[in-house]
Amino acid sequence: MSEQTMWLEDFEVGQTFEAPPYLVSQDEIQAFASEFDPQPFHTDPVAAEESVFGELVASGWHMTALNMKLFVAHGPKIQGGIVGLNVDDLRWGAVRPGDELSWQMEIDEIHPSASGKPRGIVRMRHRLINQNHEDALHFVVSCLVPARA
Amino acid sequence: MSEQTMWLEDFEVGQTFEAPPYLVSQDEIQAFASEFDPQPFHTDPVAAEESVFGELVASGWHMTALNMKLFVAHGPKIQGGIVGLNVDDLRWGAVRPGDELSWQMEIDEIHPSASGKPRGIVRMRHRLINQNHEDALHFVVSCLVPARA
């Protein structure tokens, strides 16, 4: 690989990463929902008008999957891959067809292994932010990252 | 609809819901990962042998999507649909091709609207449990549920 991978020692608290805006289509909202979250406000624009959302919106679990797609494509290349262990403080906002979502990620905390193993936990705060600067998705994930030493 | 929908008043702390075991295939693991989480340990059984997992495993965000699919198909039919606001304490275990996952959900807390609006928050603890009785997925989601009165 031409792009260098990152080890535990390469992360610093406050580092940020981002992706260019991603345009969400009605087709992909309906396709994901049809397979994994077949509720009328995710699959049927007419029925969605009568729902609490008042319009078609994306499944929240579609947005976590899309966030991962942008992380893999545009985020740091971590040695051994992205190994998420747990997630906290996950919140959703409504995402509609035509929204443009920008992925941002910030390094919140770094914890080298307490037992001295050559690895550690990096806590990463992810956001998808829409064209109106509103959070469409927010969460903090703890990832296992190998150390050089 | 022949099946009755549930309002806030119909939920009780300690209620449980479950689905029959779901068999996870290698094809669906690779299909989801190819679209949303294209890392070798999710897409390539040979490359996965060299990874930290030692074998092909499902994307964690595939498992949250699968959990939603089982919730929609087998869980309570909530008035107005399933409207999740936020999630805490999400944890993953490894899921391999051929694993059989049982969805379980328990009502943890019920909070009627403090402002007296006809609605409330129901905190639901979800689990996907594999054939060895290990948690493959665990999280608690707060859902907005309308009240009759």
Side-chain angles (χ1 to χ4, degrees), chain A residues 95-149:
Chain A
V95 174
R96 306 159 192 89
D99 279 359
E100 291 192 73
L101 302 181
S102 298
W103 173 79
Q104 297 184 4
M105 191 263 281
E106 180 169 355
I107 304 302
D108 256 20
E109 299 172 33
I110 301 170
H111 300 281
S113 166
S115 63
K117 288 185 179 144
R119 66 191 192 200
I121 300 293
V122 178
R123 292 201 20 108
M124 305 177 181
R125 183 175 301 271
H126 289 252
R127 281 196 173 87
L128 291 177
I129 300 169
N130 73 14
Q131 66 279 5
N132 302 318
H133 310 287
E134 299 158 338
D135 274 5
L137 177 67
H138 168 281
F139 66 84
V140 181
V141 60
S142 295
C143 289
L144 189 66
V145 179
R148 284 198 185 83

Side-chain angles (χ1 to χ4, degrees), chain A residues 24-41:
Chain A
V24 180
S25 73
Q26 181 171 319
D27 280 356
E28 71 191 295
I29 288 175
Q30 292 173 303
F32 184 96
S34 297
E35 185 168 0
F36 293 111
D37 192 354
Q39 302 194 83
F41 45 60

Side-chain angles (χ1 to χ4, degrees), chain A residues 35 39 69 82 86-87 90, chain B residues 35 39 69 82 87 90:
Chain A
E35 185 168 0
Q39 302 194 83
K69 183 185 182 85
I82 302 165
N86 56 72
V87 168
L90 191 158
Chain B
E35 185 168 0
Q39 302 194 82
K69 183 185 183 85
I82 302 165
V87 168
L90 190 159

Side-chain angles (χ1 to χ4, degrees), chain A residues 5-84:
Chain A
T5 60
M6 291 182 72
W7 299 73
L8 188 66
E9 293 88 342
D10 301 319
F11 285 98
E12 290 173 32
V13 171
Q15 273 175 328
T16 57
F17 302 88
E18 59 183 22
Y22 179 96
L23 180 66
V24 180
S25 73
Q26 181 171 319
D27 280 356
E28 71 191 295
I29 288 175
Q30 292 173 303
F32 184 96
S34 297
E35 185 168 0
F36 293 111
D37 192 354
Q39 302 194 83
F41 45 60
H42 298 318
T43 58
D44 179 346
V46 175
E49 291 179 16
E50 305 300 315
S51 76
V52 64
F53 298 107
E55 60 191 323
L56 193 81
V57 295
S59 168
W61 297 115
H62 182 190
M63 294 301 97
T64 54
L66 175 63
N67 185 87
M68 191 68 198
K69 183 185 182 85
L70 297 172
F71 183 12
V72 172
H74 300 283
K77 305 308 171 211
I78 301 172
Q79 176 64 26
I82 302 165
V83 179

